[in-house]
Amino acid sequence: QTPNPNISINQNIKMKVLSLIAALPVVAAFAPNSAISNTRAVTQLEAASIQFVKGLEEKVVPDIKLTRAKDGSSGIATFGFNQPNCFDASTAEMGEVTGMFLIDDEGEMSTTDVNAKFSNGKPQSIEATYVMKSPAEWDRFMRFMENYSEANGLGFNGA
């Protein structure tokens, strides 16, 4: 068989994109890509999910803001969910919000830094913060985000 030249080109582009993402100094964000429909594609990447209640996948796609230390030693991801489905009456029997769980085929990352915002006594949104304390944690988070963003139509916007 002859090697497929498109595979090496695609891998090359992917590596350049990952290198660009990893090299961002201060602020960046993942947000829903307006050019892509908000309906979820069923792919092998569907395994990447966010949960607030164990076993209940969050269907609302968040806005995500990233900051990273200039030396790359740490970073913070701030997630904003408007009207998350974990507040729906139909999901109340699933349990209470105990944290934010980022789950993919590599495992689970989590944070308990989760805050709900209320309006007229009703929950409206959730803001969650995930702190990365090492370059290895940043790399792991970026692998999760690559899978999650592809499965959910998120685009990357550098600041």
Side-chain angles (χ1 to χ4, degrees):
Q1 272 186 353
T2 56
N4 185 343
N6 291 334
I7 292 173
S8 63
I9 291 171
N10 287 337
Q11 288 173 338
N12 223 359
I13 291 171
K14 192 173 185 180
M15 290 305 294
K16 287 180 182 176
V17 169
L18 287 175
S19 295
L20 172 66
I21 291 171
L24 291 172
V26 181
V27 177
F30 285 90
N33 189 341
S34 60
I36 298 174
S37 170
N38 272 343
T39 58
R40 302 175 93 176
V42 177
T43 67
Q44 65 186 9
L45 302 174
E46 194 66 33
S49 70
I50 298 176
Q51 300 177 2
F52 292 106
V53 177
K54 286 288 200 152
L56 177 64
E57 182 176 337
E58 183 54 54
K59 305 238 183 285
V60 172
V61 177
D63 283 327
I64 305 163
K65 294 181 176 88
L66 297 175
T67 58
R68 188 175 192 191
K70 287 184 180 186
D71 66 0
S73 62
S74 62
I76 297 173
T78 304
F79 293 75
F81 295 83
N82 193 20
Q83 299 291 329
N85 65 283
C86 66
F87 291 153
D88 294 346
S90 62
T91 62
E93 71 277 356
M94 295 289 293
E96 294 182 8
V97 172
T98 56
M100 181 178 70
F101 307 94
L102 311 174
I103 302 168
D104 64 7
D105 58 352
E106 286 186 53
E108 178 182 297
M109 299 173 287
S110 65
T111 181
T112 56
D113 189 353
V114 178
N115 296 295
K117 294 189 180 177
F118 292 79
S119 177
N120 296 322
K122 297 187 189 281
Q124 299 297 312
S125 63
I126 288 181
E127 184 175 288
T129 303
Y130 180 74
V131 177
M132 296 150 278
K133 297 177 183 170
S134 71
E137 286 182 8
W138 175 272
D139 292 343
R140 169 69 179 98
F141 176 80
M142 293 306 289
R143 288 192 306 275
F144 169 83
M145 282 310 305
E146 180 181 6
N147 291 335
Y148 185 81
S149 64
E150 287 180 25
N152 291 283
L154 293 176
F156 181 76
N157 300 317

